[in-house]
Structures are given as structure tokens and as C-alpha cells.
Amino acid sequence: DKGDFEHFMLKEIHEQPELIRSLTQFYFHGEGLESLKKAGSFKPSKFHMTACGTAYYAGLLIRDFLETYNKIPCAPELASEFRYRNPLLIEGESGLFISQSGETADTLAAQELCTESKLKTLSIVNVDGSTLFRNCDNNLLIRAGIEIGVASTKAFTQQVLTGRLLSLALSDELSEESKRVKLTSKFSLLAEKIDHLISRSKEIKDIAESVYNHKGFFYTGRGIYYPVALEGALKLKEIAYVHAEGYAAGELKHGPIAMIDEDMVNVALVGPELFEKTVSNIQEIKARKGVILTIGPKDHEELEELSDYYFGIDFDGLEELSPIYINIVNQLLAYYIAKYKGTDIDKPRNLAKSVTVE
Ligand code: M6R
């Protein structure tokens, strides 16, 4: 049931704050705590993270958490590549699989390959009892509820957060109640800010109205904003049928900058990390007459002046979770662009909700 919403995708975007709150409650103060501690008690020498599509981009952020906070090497790879590549898998390492459905054929094959090589396998998955859930040694449920929109939205957010919880568990940060209480308020702040952000949807809709007819979109970001650039471009492609690419901001000058002209939009994702470097990339695009749509820190005059369109966000207290915040703006941007284009948002052409064949 879509309730008052025109599309399931929009409804699912709106569900995110509440889902964040209940995920935190479940893992910090409810029945989930033991399973999270169990997942954190096995410290592999390396993670092989495989997934497809949106789940893979969530996995790229999880890779950053595991390497930054746990110092455990994590090799991310698309499941469809991993399964046919003869990857080097050594006992003591672990396979980590991210999936909404738990039924994606390539991800299941990657899991089987890890099991055959005697690796322990762990999933971050939405569907309880799915094939992936049954085949893995251990699972962390993302508790996103049923996701109906073909374009994955809330599952991404819950996957990234569950990955962050895993990294907290691996560094034994969940043993004390007082620490868990502190973390709960950090996650509630995120939920609260997302509520506020969603209430500003009209601003995003207006930006969409101004840009939806442009011929192409480059989403750019650095560091933890790079996976979000990839995910933002995927969302736009799949529901609006507009050509979009996600690019590491520093890579543009190695080729694609040749495509920039006044009909190309650069969706520049600028968070607190690597700020100056990203700004200089925007200047390069501006010099080639590209249209700049920046999603960046609020009240930043210099950046606002440089941009044709600006959506400012208050990132205080949320540094490592700031990609989630930017991603929700991207979800709404793709949604409204698709609406202006008049596409079938919940069931985009040529796509199925779960890809159960190769
Ligand atoms: O069910 P899964 O998370 O394993 O699905 C993976 C991809 O097929 C999925 O994320 C796909 O890319 C979405 N349509 C993206 O919105």
C-alpha cells in the first residue's frame, strides 16, 4: 500500500528516518545485540566484499569503515566479476555479501565460491530466510521492511548503517551500555536530520525542474563521497533513463572532462572530507562551462557562488555518516527528474526487482 504517496519509491525514501531509529534500537538495545556481537567476534585477516548494483556501492562505504576503524583489509568486487576470476582466497579470510533480496544470482555464486574455499561467510541482507541468508555462516539483517520500488533506496541506507554497526562490533565498542547510549544519540541525530532534509523536498524538486532536460549528468565525489556519486548516477539512469556517470572527482581530467559543455550537469558532492580538493575540481568544470549543481555544506558562500544550483546541508556531528545524507538528496533528485520526464518510476523499463539469473 502506497498510502498517501504517489510512488513506492517516494514512500520508501520517507521511511528512512524511522527505519534508522528502529535499526539502532534493535542492535544496541534489543534482540539484535547478541548477533551483532557474534559477528564482531570473528576478526578475519581480510574481507572479500562482493555485491551487485546499489548493494555494491553500499559495500564500498562499508569497505571504508572496515579499513579505517578496524584496520582489516577489505577487497570490494562486483559479484559478477569475482565469481569467474579465480580470486585468491585464503583460510582465515572472510566473504562479506551485501544484498537486499538475498536472491541475486551472482552474489549467491560468489558466496558459494568462498564457502568452497573454506572461508567464513557473512551477509548484510534484508530478506530473512532468503537463499543468501540460509547459505551464509552468519547474517546481519538490515531490517528495511519490504522494498517494492525497483530502485533501491532505503536498503542502501540500512546496509551502510549495518556495515557501520559491524565495524563498531569488530572494535568492541558495543560492550558497554554507556557507549551504546552515546551511539544511539548519534544515529538519532542522523534520523532527525534526514527528517528535516526530506521536509525540504520542494527545494530539490525545483532544482530537478531546472535541470531535467540537460543531456547528461556527471556525479562527482572524492573519498567517502565517491560511492555516493556512483549510486546517484545509477539511480538517475535506472528511473529517468538519462545518461549519467559517477566519477571520482580527481579522475575527470583524465578523460571525461572533454565531454563537459553547457548542456552537461555536474552534480558535485562535497562533504566535510577532502573539501578543498573537491572545490578545485568544481572550478575546472566551471571553466569548461558545465552546469554546476552542488550538494555541499550549508552557508558556504564561496561554493554557492561557484554553483548554478546549491543544496546546503548541515553536517555537524555526522562526518562518517555524511554520505548517507547526501545520498538521500540524490534519491530525491533522481525521483523528481524522473517525474518530470514522465517515466514509470516504480517499475522502470527493462528491469526486475531481483536479478535471479546471470
Ligand atoms: O537484491 P540485491 O541487493 O542483491 O540487488 C542488487 C542489485 O540488483 C540492485 O541493487 C539494483 O542495482 C537496484 N535496482 C538498484 O536500484
Side-chain angles (χ1 to χ4, degrees):
D1 178 19
K2 285 189 288 220
D4 292 339
F5 295 96
E6 194 179 341
H7 296 98
F8 280 107
M9 181 183 178
L10 193 61
K11 176 171 181 260
E12 289 163 1
I13 292 174
H14 279 252
E15 280 169 17
Q16 294 177 103
E18 210 35 57
L19 289 171
I20 294 170
R21 291 188 189 102
S22 75
L23 187 79
T24 324
Q25 193 57 32
F26 177 77
Y27 280 118
F28 288 162
H29 309 287
E31 337 157 22
L33 185 59
E34 281 318 304
S35 64
L36 187 56
K37 283 186 177 165
K38 183 176 161 222
S41 65
F42 176 65
K43 297 186 175 54
S45 54
K46 178 178 180 173
F47 280 106
H48 294 272
M49 187 288 287
T50 61
C52 303
T54 291
Y56 175 72
Y57 300 143
L60 291 179
L61 283 171
I62 297 172
R63 180 270 310 267
D64 284 335
F65 296 148
L66 295 171
E67 295 205 340
T68 306
Y69 301 111
N70 309 107
K71 308 290 175 221
I72 301 177
C74 179
E77 193 161 349
L78 293 164
S80 56
E81 290 298 313
F82 180 87
R83 64 180 294 192
Y84 291 121
R85 194 179 58 82
N86 299 318
L88 183 60
L89 304 173
I90 300 168
E91 239 180 291
E93 298 176 343
S94 175
L96 174 63
F97 310 92
I98 325 288
S99 178
Q100 188 284 126
S101 61
E103 302 296 346
T104 299
D106 286 321
T107 308
L108 293 177
Q111 191 278 336
E112 263 169 46
L113 188 62
C114 288
T115 298
E116 279 162 21
S117 304
K118 309 213 165 17
L119 264 59
K120 280 231 190 306
T121 57
L122 168 67
S123 84
I124 292 184
V125 68
N126 194 30
V127 181
D128 193 348
S130 59
T131 310
L132 184 66
F133 181 96
R134 285 184 272 114
N135 291 355
C136 279
D137 299 306
N138 205 354
N139 301 283
L140 288 174
L141 289 168
I142 64 165
R143 300 173 63 83
I146 298 171
E147 194 181 56
I148 292 173
V150 166
S152 184
T153 53
K154 58 180 181 173
F156 176 92
T157 302
Q158 299 292 94
Q159 283 158 354
V160 172
L161 288 175
T162 307
R164 181 68 187 109
L165 296 182
L166 170 66
S167 86
L168 288 165
L170 282 163
S171 46
D172 299 323
E173 280 177 70
L174 299 174
S175 38
E176 288 164 39
E177 169 75 15
S178 61
K179 279 195 179 172
R180 297 202 303 272
V181 169
K182 260 201 188 146
L183 286 163
T184 305
S185 46
K186 185 170 177 167
F187 280 71
S188 331
L189 179 66
L190 178 77
E192 202 180 294
K193 289 192 177 205
I194 292 173
D195 259 328
H196 175 65
L197 182 152
I198 292 174
S199 75
R200 293 171 59 200
S201 291
K202 174 76 170 62
E203 291 172 55
I204 304 172
K205 189 177 178 205
D206 290 345
I207 296 176
E209 189 179 13
S210 308
V211 300
Y212 79 96
N213 261 330
H214 284 280
K215 76 172 173 210
F217 290 73
F218 270 97
Y219 286 71
T220 55
R222 276 177 182 264
I224 53 175
Y225 310 109
Y226 173 44
V228 177
L230 295 167
E231 168 60 7
L234 173 62
K235 218 87 296 172
L236 191 63
K237 279 182 277 208
E238 76 174 328
I239 61 167
Y241 320 148
V242 183
H243 184 240
E245 287 195 54
Y247 240 84
E251 269 293 301
L252 274 193
K253 56 166 106 42
H254 297 283
I257 202 163
M259 293 179 70
I260 301 294
D261 61 19
E262 50 283 304
D263 208 13
M264 273 286 183
V265 181
N266 173 212
V267 184
L269 311 178
V270 193
E273 268 189 31
L274 295 165
F275 181 82
E276 296 301 334
K277 295 251 176 251
T278 316
V279 174
S280 76
N281 297 132
I282 297 175
Q283 278 156 341
E284 288 162 3
I285 296 173
K286 185 84 196 158
R288 273 98 184 161
K289 304 205 164 37
V291 178
I292 312 285
L293 189 178
T294 304
I295 302 170
K298 80 168 196 321
D299 301 329
H300 199 288
E301 268 177 40
E302 183 201 339
L303 206 49
E304 274 196 64
E305 242 163 66
L306 197 60
S307 311
D308 299 282
Y309 306 97
Y310 198 84
F311 189 87
I313 296 178
D314 169 15
F315 290 114
D316 281 354
L318 290 168
E319 303 253 317
E320 96 268 17
L321 301 176
S322 53
I324 293 183
Y325 212 39
I326 293 182
N327 192 59
I328 290 172
V329 182
N330 282 343
Q331 291 171 354
L332 286 164
L333 182 68
Y335 174 80
Y336 287 115
I337 291 179
K339 225 174 113 56
Y340 282 112
K341 291 263 176 197
T343 58
D344 187 352
I345 294 181
D346 282 333
K347 283 197 173 41
R349 67 186 183 202
N350 310 340
L351 291 174
K353 180 64 184 160
S354 347
V355 185
T356 53
V357 291
E358 272 191 70

